[in-house]
């Protein structure tokens, strides 16, 4: 069942979180859809401009559409993440997407409003949901790099003005997370007072948490034991903080770093342990199996397992 994110968030708000997972290649798509069908859990499959340039939008959409036929008992949305107008308007006009994100968070407030409003008008005309962003997250994602000193928390007062001015369907906010594997320094975490104030000003309005990966230290250790050189002080978002954020209006939790670490660990360990192998399909099968396990845990942690029943999937 292909839905817009707006339709999914109406059911999930305040009760469970929807994982929004970046995909690049077939094994990830298979693993994501297989896990969602097994868990009867709604989800968002998302492609970034980086992924669209790498694989081509038609290839990505063809894989997603094929997976939906292979795993028909799933509830999902298809989303363009961190888009600029070229990618967004292509996604809106070419079909296949039910949600787009316009990331004008690096612009001043008025420019962000103007760019977002233009995307909203064009997307809503075709029944497509729009995610916007207010506040700037630090870190690295694909080819986007933001230094910590240039990041900024989202102001709840600005959120109220922004949503009313743009009519966007959900909003990514900066509350302490960041992109990439190195999300926090020291004891810094999610700034819950910001979420609480936004919820007070805009009750029932869906929020989005970018940089939602957990960055399991065991994955870092295993990667490094298999020849990697990742820093061992990488920190992700604790599940307890994500679960609390869900009760305060965070409906969509973006996951990218965790699945990259999973791919890296599987491939490094496979060729370390079986150096005589060279067929790409063999580690690919291992990756799909591990991906399903990973996503089943995420669905459980976010409270999403079994929630397909909210959309008539049993």
């Amino acid at each position: 069942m292909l839905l817009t994110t707006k339709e999914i968030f109406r059911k999930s708000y305040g009760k469970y979180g929807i994982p929004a997972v970046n995909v690049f290649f077939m094994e990830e798509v298979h693993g994501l859809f297989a896990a969602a069908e097994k868990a009867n859990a709604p989800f968002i499959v998302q492609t970034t401009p980086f992924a669209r340039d790498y694989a081509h939008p038609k290839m990505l959409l063809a894989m997603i559409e094929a997976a939906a036929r292979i795993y028909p008992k799933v509830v999902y949305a298809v989303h363009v993440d961190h888009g600029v107008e070229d990618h967004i308007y292509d996604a809106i006009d070419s079909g296949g997407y039910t949600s787009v994100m316009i990331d004008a968070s690096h612009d001043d407030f008025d420019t962000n409003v103007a760019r977002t409003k233009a995307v909203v008008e064009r997307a809503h005309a075709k029944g497509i949901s729009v995610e916007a962003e207010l506040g700037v997250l630090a870190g690295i994602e694909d080819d986007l790099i933001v230094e910590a000193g240039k990041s900024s928390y989202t102001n709840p007062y600005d959120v109220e003005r922004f949503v009313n001015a743009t009519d966007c369907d959900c909003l990514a906010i900066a509350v302490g997370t960041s992109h990439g594997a190195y999300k926090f320094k020291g004891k810094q975490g999610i700034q819950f007072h910001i979420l609480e104030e936004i919820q007070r000003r805009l009750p029932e309005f869906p929020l989005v948490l970018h940089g939602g990966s957990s960055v399991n230290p065991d994955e870092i250790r295993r990667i490094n034991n298999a020849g990697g050189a990742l820093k061992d002080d990488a920190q992700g978002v604790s599940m307890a903080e994500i679960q609390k954020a869900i009760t305060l209006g965070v409906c969509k939790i973006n996951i990218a770093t965790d699945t990259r670490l999973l791919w890296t660990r599987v491939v490094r360990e496979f060729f370390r342990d079986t150096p005589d192998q060279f067929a790409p399909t063999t580690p690919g099968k291992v990756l799909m199996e591990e991906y399903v396990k990973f996503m089943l845990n995420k669905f459980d942690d976010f409270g999403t397992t079994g929630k397909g029943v909210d959309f008539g999937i049993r």
Side-chain angles (χ1 to χ4, degrees), residues 1 37 67-75 313:
M1 183 182 296
E37 185 170 84
R69 292 192 294 272
I70 296 167
Y71 308 100
K73 291 187 176 182
V74 293
V75 176
I313 304 294

Side-chain angles (χ1 to χ4, degrees), residues 184-256:
F184 295 127
K185 292 182 179 179
K187 297 296 182 182
Q188 174 194 340
I190 293 176
Q191 306 298 296
F192 290 108
H193 66 283
I194 297 177
L195 294 178
E196 291 167 353
E197 180 61 17
I198 293 172
Q199 192 176 53
R200 187 188 71 79
R201 290 173 176 271
L202 293 171
E204 305 295 318
F205 184 79
L207 301 175
V208 178
L209 189 68
H210 284 222
S213 287
S214 297
V215 190
N216 185 341
D218 188 54
E219 292 282 29
I220 302 293
R221 178 188 61 79
R222 291 177 67 175
I223 289 168
N224 289 344
N225 286 344
L230 298 179
K231 296 178 182 178
D232 59 10
D233 62 343
Q235 295 186 55
V237 189
S238 76
M239 194 50 60
E241 289 202 331
I242 288 178
Q243 289 167 344
K244 182 176 179 180
I246 290 169
T247 68
L248 296 173
V250 170
C251 293
K252 176 176 179 277
I253 302 102
N254 282 20
I255 299 171

Side-chain angles (χ1 to χ4, degrees), residues 28 32 40 56 65 87 91 94 112 136 142 162 165 182 198 202 213 236 246 254 271 276 288-289 294 297:
E28 292 178 315
L32 178 58
N40 192 19
H56 197 282
E65 290 163 3
H87 284 278
S94 62
N112 191 347
V136 181
D142 293 338
F162 185 88
Y182 308 96
I198 293 172
L202 293 171
S213 287
I246 290 169
N254 282 20
F271 287 110
D276 59 322
M288 286 189 279
E289 293 168 0
F294 169 80
N297 286 332

Side-chain angles (χ1 to χ4, degrees), residues 2 19 26 76 97 103 124 126 196 200 267 303:
L2 178 59
M26 182 199 73
Y76 70 107
Y97 287 92
D103 183 1
H124 282 185
K126 294 199 173 184
E196 291 167 353
R200 187 188 71 79
V267 172

